């Protein structure tokens, strides 16, 4: 059996085991304690001022959570960063890899994993670069993370595993403790490259993480 087949079997076994554990937990009488709450998210983060972007009722229905934040933040230099946060500790439909929606909608994107230093700490960070048209120049750069409590993950399955562990040990979770955090910025002009866009996202991530106490 080749190494690739062995890897596939191991991953499949892990996913099946996780599914069984989750089923047993969710079908048991003792449920994980979840504190329902609204998300009080600031409209100002350091030099960045936010503008609310409405989220459609249909989107909230599909995600099965009302706790969705979408805002455009602009700094004093006129630079813009878009923030979206999907918060949900119960619905597994709410949080999923963003590239699934993008590629499903026919958008060409390139994905990388960065080891990003934010406020003196290193965070594995998902980076998506939107590649429109034939020029293959980046139109938008996206950073995103999966959160459980005080931990951030670049891997969706790592987040789900952490949630499973907390369910097994009946650790209480607030709705805001489980989230998909995503920030993005668009190319200001044709000359602006990915490096400049990454610096803009990093600057916003620093004030965002300070607020979230990460």
């Amino acid at each position: 059996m080749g190494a690739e087949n062995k890897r596939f079997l191991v991953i499949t076994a892990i996913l099946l085991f996780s599914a069984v554990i989750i089923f047993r937990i969710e079908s048991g009488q003792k449920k994980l304690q979840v504190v329902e709450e609204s998300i009080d998210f600031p409209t100002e983060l350091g030099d960045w001022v936010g503008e609310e972007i409405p989220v459609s009722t249909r989107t909230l229905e599909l995600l099965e959570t009302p706790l969705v934040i979408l805002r455009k933040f602009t700094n004093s230099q006129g630079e813009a960063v878009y923030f979206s946060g999907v918060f949900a500790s119960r619905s597994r439909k709410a949080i999923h890899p963003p590239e699934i929606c993008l590629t499903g909608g026919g958008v060409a994107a390139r994905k990388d994993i960065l080891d990003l230093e934010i406020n003196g700490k290193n965070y594995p960070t998902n980076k998506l670069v939107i590649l429109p048209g034939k020029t293959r120049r980046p139109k938008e750069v996206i950073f995103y993370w999966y959160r459980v409590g005080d931990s951030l993950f670049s891997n969706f399955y790592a987040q789900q595993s952490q949630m499973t562990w907390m369910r097994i040990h009946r650790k209480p979770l607030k709705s805001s403790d489980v989230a998909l955090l995503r920030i993005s910025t668009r190319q200001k002009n044709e000359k602006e490259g990915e490096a400049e866009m990454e610096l803009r996202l990093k600057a916003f991530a620093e004030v965002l993480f300070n607020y979230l106490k990460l």
Side-chain angles (χ1 to χ4, degrees):
M1 181 182 295
E4 187 172 342
N5 290 335
K6 288 182 180 179
R7 191 180 303 112
F8 172 78
L9 290 176
V10 169
I11 293 173
T12 301
I14 291 172
L15 292 177
L16 288 174
F17 175 77
S18 299
V20 171
I21 293 295
I22 292 168
F23 174 78
R24 288 181 177 178
I25 293 168
E26 294 184 345
S27 62
Q29 292 183 352
K30 292 184 178 180
K31 296 293 185 180
L32 173 70
Q33 179 185 355
V34 178
V35 181
E36 293 299 338
E37 60 176 357
S38 60
I39 302 297
D40 184 18
F41 196 83
T43 54
E44 293 188 15
L45 289 170
D47 187 39
W48 302 83
V49 179
E51 173 188 348
E52 197 78 26
I53 299 176
V55 181
S56 70
T57 302
R58 179 56 179 163
T59 297
L60 298 178
E61 290 175 349
L62 290 173
L63 293 176
E64 296 185 358
T65 176
L67 305 179
V68 179
I69 296 173
L70 184 58
R71 287 190 184 151
K72 176 184 178 182
F73 282 87
T74 307
N75 65 12
S76 56
Q77 286 77 45
E79 298 174 321
V81 167
Y82 294 83
F83 168 77
S84 65
V86 180
F87 303 86
S89 56
R90 287 183 175 177
S91 172
R92 292 187 175 275
K93 291 184 179 179
I95 296 175
H96 55 272
E99 60 265 27
I100 293 177
C101 295
L102 290 171
T103 55
V107 176
R110 185 185 77 241
K111 180 178 178 180
D112 299 300
I113 304 292
L114 304 180
D115 190 19
L116 196 65
E117 182 179 336
I118 301 174
N119 298 329
K121 294 176 61 177
N122 289 330
Y123 294 90
T125 299
N126 292 289
K127 173 189 171 185
L128 285 176
V129 181
I130 306 302
L131 302 169
K134 296 180 180 180
T135 62
R136 310 296 288 177
R137 285 188 59 82
K139 177 183 178 182
E140 184 174 9
V141 175
I142 301 168
F143 287 169
Y144 68 91
W145 306 267
Y146 302 99
R147 181 185 184 183
V148 180
D150 295 330
S151 300
L152 280 186
F153 304 92
S154 61
N155 186 279
F156 170 77
Y157 296 106
Q159 181 203 44
Q160 297 300 303
S161 297
Q162 178 70 7
M163 286 179 60
T164 300
W165 183 90
M166 296 187 76
R167 286 173 181 266
I168 291 173
H169 294 277
R170 296 202 297 275
K171 301 288 185 180
L173 283 172
K174 295 182 294 184
S175 296
S176 58
D177 285 339
V178 180
L180 169 66
L181 305 174
R182 165 179 160 169
I183 59 177
S184 66
T185 190
R186 297 169 183 172
Q187 194 176 28
K188 292 191 296 185
N189 53 63
E190 292 184 357
K191 294 183 179 179
E192 186 177 48
E194 288 182 36
E196 291 87 352
M197 300 169 78
E198 287 183 20
L199 287 175
R200 187 155 63 246
L201 290 178
K202 185 175 181 294
F204 182 82
E206 288 175 348
V207 294
L208 173 65
F209 282 23
N210 274 334
Y211 172 75
L212 295 175
K213 295 180 172 60
L214 293 170

